[in-house]
Amino acid sequence: MNSMKYSLLFENEFSEQKRALEKAEKIVLYGNSVIACILDVVISELGYEAKCSIFERGRFLSQEENNVNIERTVIILCSARALTRQDMKKDALHYFPGTFIFDFFAIYYIWITKIVKRKCDYEKFAETLFLCRQEKCVPNIDSINTFYCNLKCKECSNGIQYRRKKRKISSNLQIIYLNKFTEKLPICQCNFQGGEVFTDIDFSTFIEDHSHNPRVAIFTVATNGTILPKDETFMSIKRIGAMIRISDYGNISKQKEAIIAKCKKFSIPCFTFPMAEKWRKFGEYYKRNRKKDELKQISQECCFGTHDLMFIENKIYCCLRTLYANAVGDDTEAMRLNTLDLNSNFTYEELERFIHGKELWRMCDYCDFPMKVIAPAEQL
């Protein structure tokens, strides 16, 4: 199937979904996720009047009654992971038998191309979504825009507090290497992160430059909720169809409510991680000399690892701990094997091996395990 047919595929899928959405009294967003947050805005901007409710682990999050009119209910599976969607569908058929169930890809494609009108090649974008649906992609990557941060978190996993040279990242270089990287594999979700992203006065340019690459499906913006950016920044976030993810650090996140209000004003999806969010302590950075079998087991059980690919100009770091090693100036074999140099002539097979963390077990020797759960954002 060539790329010209992918857009037609999603348009045809949506034409069927549209009929069900027009008749629906309730739209169930299955799974409390970033995707569900985005779809709440998507459905509103596409003009559907049915009430959206998030359903997670056998219950509605809004404490409403579980009794629904099955014939007038639509289920949207809110996960980018194929196996998770399979499990969701199985559960949905148990809780809502006979309902019309579909994933988010087609309706998201329509929103980005018809409502947001993101400035990129829509045929290639459709192909990207198709590959993401099949998980032939990089699931998640953090694009670092700056090493500046207005906080000094004692346990910052990125090691920002230990970087001697604070600087913002060149948008031009980041885009050159993003394009080279995505020639091999598309990205499902790209999260803009710092430091603190809103310390960068050129953040709008940084994210809009990224959005022209059709090989990236979803954009999110991570902030600590301490800075209220100008309206121009919110407008840029809206123009690329991104969402904002606020880490709620209680009294530290002084601008959280103001950011939420701006997101509502500009109709930007906004997801707040609650104050109950906990950090995990990696421990002091030194080699613990564990055995290989033990390290491989740790790499399988750890909640970080390949879930965290960090992208800075011409380098991608597998796992936060590898980026931390870079921050403190380490140069071990373990670090080098978990750092991809985008200047190199890497193959598709080498990239696959890297993003699946085949050598990540080596970095696990530089962390405590199990990690202690600590309160978030304790300041130095």
Side-chain angles (χ1 to χ4, degrees), residues 72-307:
R72 304 292 293 275
T73 298
V74 169
I75 311 288
I76 306 180
L77 306 177
C78 299
S79 176
R81 300 280 185 172
L83 287 177
T84 302
R85 292 197 304 275
Q86 289 178 20
D87 290 340
M88 284 178 168
K89 186 172 183 179
K90 182 178 178 180
D91 288 346
L93 289 171
H94 170 73
Y95 290 109
F96 308 100
T99 51
F100 185 50
I101 302 173
F102 54 90
D103 65 34
F104 72 92
F105 290 99
I107 192 171
Y108 178 74
Y109 171 79
I110 295 298
W111 179 65
I112 287 291
T113 59
K114 308 295 185 185
I115 304 298
V116 174
K117 297 180 181 178
R118 183 173 139 190
K119 293 181 180 179
C120 68
D121 185 317
Y122 290 163
E123 298 300 337
K124 290 181 180 178
F125 177 68
E127 181 183 23
T128 294
L129 288 176
F130 184 82
L131 292 171
C132 290
R133 176 185 269 173
Q134 297 181 320
E135 293 196 64
K136 294 179 179 179
C137 63
V138 177
N140 181 75
I141 197 166
D142 289 341
S143 183
I144 308 295
N145 76 306
T146 182
F147 291 145
Y148 287 101
C149 189
N150 57 337
L151 298 182
K152 293 182 179 179
C153 297
K154 183 178 179 181
E155 298 294 339
C156 176
S157 57
N158 289 3
I160 294 295
Q161 71 277 42
Y162 298 112
R163 288 191 180 273
R164 293 180 180 178
K165 293 183 179 180
K166 298 290 195 277
R167 64 184 179 90
K168 68 177 187 179
I169 307 304
S170 164
S171 179
N172 289 338
L173 283 177
Q174 198 85 337
I175 297 306
I176 288 169
Y177 290 111
L178 175 72
N179 293 344
K180 182 175 181 180
F181 178 73
T182 54
E183 284 176 3
K184 297 285 197 304
L185 270 178
I187 297 169
C188 184
Q189 183 175 315
C190 177
N191 179 47
F192 298 112
Q193 184 172 306
E196 165 52 38
V197 293
F198 293 145
T199 62
D200 181 5
I201 60 173
D202 297 316
F203 183 61
S204 292
T205 299
F206 189 85
I207 63 173
E208 292 204 44
D209 286 348
H210 276 65
S211 72
H212 301 321
N213 186 325
R215 298 275 286 175
V216 184
I218 299 168
F219 290 108
T220 62
V221 177
T223 176
N224 58 28
T226 60
I227 297 173
L228 180 65
K230 295 180 180 179
D231 282 4
E232 175 190 349
T233 301
F234 285 101
M235 291 168 66
S236 291
I237 293 169
K238 180 62 182 176
R239 278 194 292 270
I240 73 170
M243 71 160 293
I244 293 178
R245 304 165 62 180
I246 305 173
S247 292
D248 184 0
Y249 299 148
N251 293 333
I252 293 175
S253 303
K254 295 180 180 180
Q255 297 294 340
K256 179 190 68 173
E257 296 301 331
I259 292 171
I260 292 171
K262 288 288 187 179
C263 287
K264 186 174 182 180
K265 174 183 175 181
F266 289 100
S267 193
I268 295 170
C270 183
F271 188 91
T272 303
F273 289 94
M275 186 56 191
E277 178 193 15
K278 299 295 183 183
W279 282 12
R280 295 185 183 274
K281 187 174 182 178
F282 289 81
E284 296 298 322
Y285 186 81
Y286 66 91
K287 188 173 176 61
R288 287 153 177 80
N289 294 312
R290 299 184 181 104
K291 293 181 179 180
K292 182 176 179 178
D293 289 346
E294 182 183 0
L295 291 172
K296 287 199 168 186
Q297 184 64 35
I298 290 172
S299 71
Q300 294 297 314
E301 296 178 8
C302 182
C303 61
F304 294 106
T306 56
H307 297 290

Side-chain angles (χ1 to χ4, degrees), residues 297-343:
Q297 184 64 35
I298 290 172
S299 71
Q300 294 297 314
E301 296 178 8
C302 182
C303 61
F304 294 106
T306 56
H307 297 290
D308 293 286
L309 294 177
M310 322 296 288
F311 170 41
I312 305 172
E313 294 175 343
N314 66 316
K315 299 285 178 63
I316 295 179
Y317 302 90
C318 186
C319 185
L320 293 162
R321 200 54 164 173
T322 310
L323 181 62
Y324 184 95
N326 171 261
V328 299
D330 190 23
D331 186 26
T332 61
E333 181 186 23
M335 181 205 167
R336 290 192 296 272
L337 288 171
N338 286 285
T339 303
L340 180 65
D341 187 346
L342 297 178
N343 278 317

